Amino acid sequence: MSITGLFHCRGCGGVDTRSVLDLGAMPLANRLLDDIESAANEPRFPLQLVFCPTCALVQIVETVPPKDLFYDYPYFSSFADTMVEHARVLVERLVTQERLGARQLVVELASNDGYLLQHYQRRGVPVLGVDPAANVAAVAQARGVPTRCAFFDAAVAREMAAEGVRADVMHANNVLAHVADLHGFVEGIHLLLAPEGIAVVEAPYVRDMIDGREFDTIYHEHLCYFSLLALQRLFAQHGLAVHDVERLAIHGGSLRVTLMHADSHRGVQPAVTALLAEERAAGLDRFEYFGRFAEAVAALRTELTTLLARLKVEGKHIAAYGASAKGATLLNAFGIGRETIDFVADRSDVKQGKLTPGTHLPIVAPEALVERQPDYVLLLTWNFADEILRQQSAYRERGGKFIVPIPDVRVV
Ligand code: ZN
């Protein structure tokens, strides 16, 4: 989609979208650089968030080709303890609730390194993962989680269905927001889901993003930002109904939506009706709700950059933690770079030794926090704050402080 052409809403095809936030030309948030020489050819793409008044879908305008986004996708879910534990708790519940055993099948879309499906396997439930990143799928295979390397869409789902795949439970965690072929993906769920099966879809909740000033959730890989109103409308177009919904704290606030076939015998849980009513009352189907976001983000920028500038004047050393996509958005959008931050610590060994997108900060192992003892650490992965603050207790006991930037700037 060219920025100069007319933009068609990813949900309904409408052309009357309205701008919510324009971050300008931004680097790709997960494209880490090997060295400073490769920074010269670093691609940038427009990053603009819009709202569709027709179908209530919040989305970005630019679609960066998947081959550019996933060429060396470095994210392994198992590096975040919170993610693995979150998955385990969900699996325990579903195995009991759906009476899953050796005769059922669980399919996960964007199964990553098998962080979720491994829990089903331990309970004796057959699994199948689908993931587009060859290096990540290979890690899953190596730990014994059968994984098909593919971009899931209706065509792939048809192939799998023809091979006899029918899912009693499907999972799609944090992937729906990433898919360019939104309708093909949802149609694929419809095609693979057994008649009385359920699909559990988790996606960051746009309401939490807006209310919590979580603008760093916006990057080129996140094409859509969902409310339940928008999701319900999307799924209904593919014969799927929302059976249940939960609000989760993970990733700064997410929705977990349970889907069933529209002609399934399962009923609709009261939580669905209640949340839809709440969203209408809050105005999530109107532009006005989103119209104040740009101002809120500008205020956050002032709060954070004022604090950092004051600390630099005082001669403090500042590092950052978490070479995440979120962090790339925050640093680039707020213009925070090498003049302020000495290095970025990250637990993922595939990221260490590389440079952050756009800002070109060196990524090092977390041990550097204790070895170099910077005065402050800007926590870019604030969504894992509890986990990281616990892991970095040695740094903190020696007087080190963390700056949590979102939703309000606070020093801990
Ligand atoms: Zn629309």
Side-chain angles (χ1 to χ4, degrees), residues 19-316:
S19 181
V20 174
L21 182 69
D22 191 346
L23 293 174
M26 294 274 281
L28 298 175
N30 273 314
R31 192 180 184 278
L32 305 178
L33 304 175
D34 291 330
D35 48 49
I36 200 71
E37 287 71 40
S38 54
N41 303 317
E42 191 173 18
R44 284 179 176 263
F45 297 90
L47 191 54
Q48 187 189 12
L49 192 73
V50 299
F51 170 76
C52 175
T54 309
C55 71
L57 184 60
V58 176
Q59 55 209 294
I60 62 165
V61 171
E62 190 80 6
T63 305
V64 177
K67 65 173 171 52
D68 293 332
L69 290 176
F70 286 91
Y71 72 104
D72 189 22
Y73 198 56
Y75 186 77
F76 292 95
S77 298
S78 295
F79 278 106
D81 298 340
T82 308
M83 291 271 294
V84 176
E85 178 59 11
H86 175 79
R88 191 191 62 77
V89 171
L90 175 61
V91 169
E92 291 298 320
R93 192 171 96 189
L94 287 175
V95 165
T96 308
Q97 181 195 305
E98 300 297 308
R99 297 193 185 89
L100 301 177
R103 298 163 66 99
Q104 276 78 40
L105 176 68
V106 176
V107 172
E108 185 182 15
L109 310 176
S111 48
N112 201 270
D113 56 8
Y115 75 101
L116 183 141
L117 291 178
Q118 62 177 351
H119 297 298
Y120 281 110
Q121 278 191 314
R122 280 182 204 141
R123 299 292 302 265
V125 183
V127 299
L128 176 60
V130 183
D131 200 282
N135 55 344
V136 177
V139 171
Q141 290 277 16
R143 64 155 61 147
V145 176
T147 304
R148 185 175 183 128
C149 186
F151 271 102
F152 185 76
D153 61 9
V156 169
R158 262 184 217 102
E159 275 174 36
M160 292 170 70
E163 291 163 17
V165 175
R166 277 292 180 284
D168 299 284
V169 172
M170 289 183 82
H171 287 280
N173 280 355
N174 288 298
V175 58
L176 194 65
H178 295 242
V179 292
D181 181 12
L182 196 54
H183 287 287
F185 189 90
V186 177
E187 182 60 21
I189 294 176
H190 172 77
L191 289 167
L192 281 191
L193 191 63
E196 294 297 323
I198 55 165
V200 183
V201 176
E202 290 184 21
Y205 191 17
V206 71
R207 185 171 159 201
D208 289 320
M209 175 177 93
I210 299 290
D211 294 352
R213 300 199 287 187
E214 300 167 2
F215 82 101
D216 57 347
T217 309
I218 304 167
Y219 43 92
H220 296 99
E221 288 169 43
H222 279 171
L223 300 169
C224 294
Y225 305 75
F226 297 103
S227 61
L228 185 60
L229 284 163
L231 284 173
Q232 186 197 38
R233 199 181 176 114
L234 170 68
F235 295 134
Q237 294 178 63
H238 298 277
L240 295 167
V242 178
H243 165 67
D244 201 359
V245 65
E246 291 168 77
R247 289 182 73 172
L248 309 171
I250 201 160
H251 298 304
S254 294
L255 284 183
R256 175 186 289 155
V257 176
T258 306
L259 303 171
M260 57 184 179
H261 285 291
D263 56 3
S264 165
H265 292 92
R266 292 166 179 265
V268 173
Q269 296 296 317
V272 177
T273 322
L275 190 57
L276 288 170
E278 224 181 86
E279 287 192 356
R280 283 197 194 90
L284 269 88
D285 51 356
R286 295 188 297 276
F287 177 74
E288 288 64 34
Y289 175 82
F290 301 96
R292 296 179 295 270
F293 191 51
E295 215 172 282
V297 172
L300 181 66
R301 177 183 186 148
T302 306
E303 285 170 42
L304 182 60
T305 54
T306 304
L307 170 66
L308 295 175
R310 179 170 64 76
L311 294 175
K312 290 312 280 187
V313 167
E314 292 170 6
K316 305 294 189 197

Side-chain angles (χ1 to χ4, degrees), residues 27-39 41-43 68-76 221 322-329 331-332 344-364 380:
L28 298 175
N30 273 314
R31 192 180 184 278
L32 305 178
L33 304 175
D34 291 330
D35 48 49
I36 200 71
E37 287 71 40
S38 54
N41 303 317
E42 191 173 18
D68 293 332
L69 290 176
F70 286 91
Y71 72 104
D72 189 22
Y73 198 56
Y75 186 77
F76 292 95
E221 288 169 43
S324 58
K326 270 182 173 18
T329 292
L331 295 176
N332 284 288
V344 181
D346 197 288
R347 209 178 154 195
S348 168
D349 53 7
V350 293
K351 296 182 179 180
Q352 293 162 13
K354 297 190 183 242
L355 303 174
T356 57
T359 47
H360 312 147
L361 299 163
I363 302 167
V364 301
L380 300 172

